[in-house]
Amino acid sequence: METNAILGPVATLALWSMVMWLWMYATRIPAMQRAKIDAKTMVGGTGKGLDDLLPAEVQWKAHNYNHLMEQPTVFYAVALALAIGGMGGGLNAQLAWAYVGLRILHSLIQVTVNRVMWRFGVFALASLALLALCVHAFIGFVVH
């Protein structure tokens, strides 16, 4: 069994996060120009401050990028721990791929139609996959 197989999903989610980063700026910068927002004169604030100034569809990309910086940090940590501990293959690799696939689907829902209940359902399934990875790591590192 390939114990580093879990690193494929890690690399995929990291790359997807960068795709969302590019998509965010590819839509946000032109929207800021259309709204006559001069970023050079802005002081302080957060991207959230643009929610009242830019179309919601533009901000959805930024919100999703922020989401990819939140819960996936747990995924990266547990996946790397499983790989280092020789437990990154088999079911754990499959769970990791499920998590990544569901997070990508979550992104696509959020940045296009942004139906909250669809997002929630996909997020909940992804969270269950992540929970299983965390339990497997706990059993492998703490219980054994």
Side-chain angles (χ1 to χ4, degrees), residues 105-121:
L105 179 59
H106 176 272
S107 290
L108 293 173
I109 291 169
Q110 185 169 17
V111 303
T112 57
V113 296
N114 206 8
R115 298 293 302 254
V116 174
M117 287 310 295
W118 296 0
R119 280 178 32 214
F120 173 74

Side-chain angles (χ1 to χ4, degrees), residues 6-127:
I6 202 166
L7 297 179
V10 168
T12 301
L13 189 56
L15 179 60
W16 178 252
S17 297
M18 294 299 94
V19 167
M20 286 307 308
W21 175 77
L22 288 169
W23 196 352
M24 174 181 66
Y25 282 113
T27 56
R28 185 183 259 182
I29 291 171
M32 288 176 70
Q33 291 169 338
R34 284 190 299 276
K36 307 282 192 254
I37 298 170
D38 184 4
K40 290 180 259 176
T41 62
M42 295 176 78
V43 178
T46 64
K48 192 83 169 141
L50 295 174
D51 282 347
D52 295 332
L53 304 173
L54 298 178
E57 294 81 8
V58 170
Q59 286 298 91
W60 292 346
K61 281 82 172 163
H63 297 164
N64 184 259
Y65 177 75
N66 290 337
H67 293 164
L68 289 169
M69 300 301 117
E70 295 169 349
Q71 187 191 62
T73 59
V74 175
F75 168 74
Y76 293 127
V78 75
L80 291 173
L82 288 166
I84 291 167
M87 296 179 282
L91 179 59
N92 287 333
Q94 292 171 347
L95 287 166
W97 277 118
Y99 179 78
V100 170
L102 289 164
R103 287 310 303 236
I104 290 171
L105 179 59
H106 176 272
S107 290
L108 293 173
I109 291 169
Q110 185 169 17
V111 303
T112 57
V113 296
N114 206 8
R115 298 293 302 254
V116 174
M117 287 310 295
W118 296 0
R119 280 178 32 214
F120 173 74
V122 172
F123 179 80
L125 289 173
S127 296

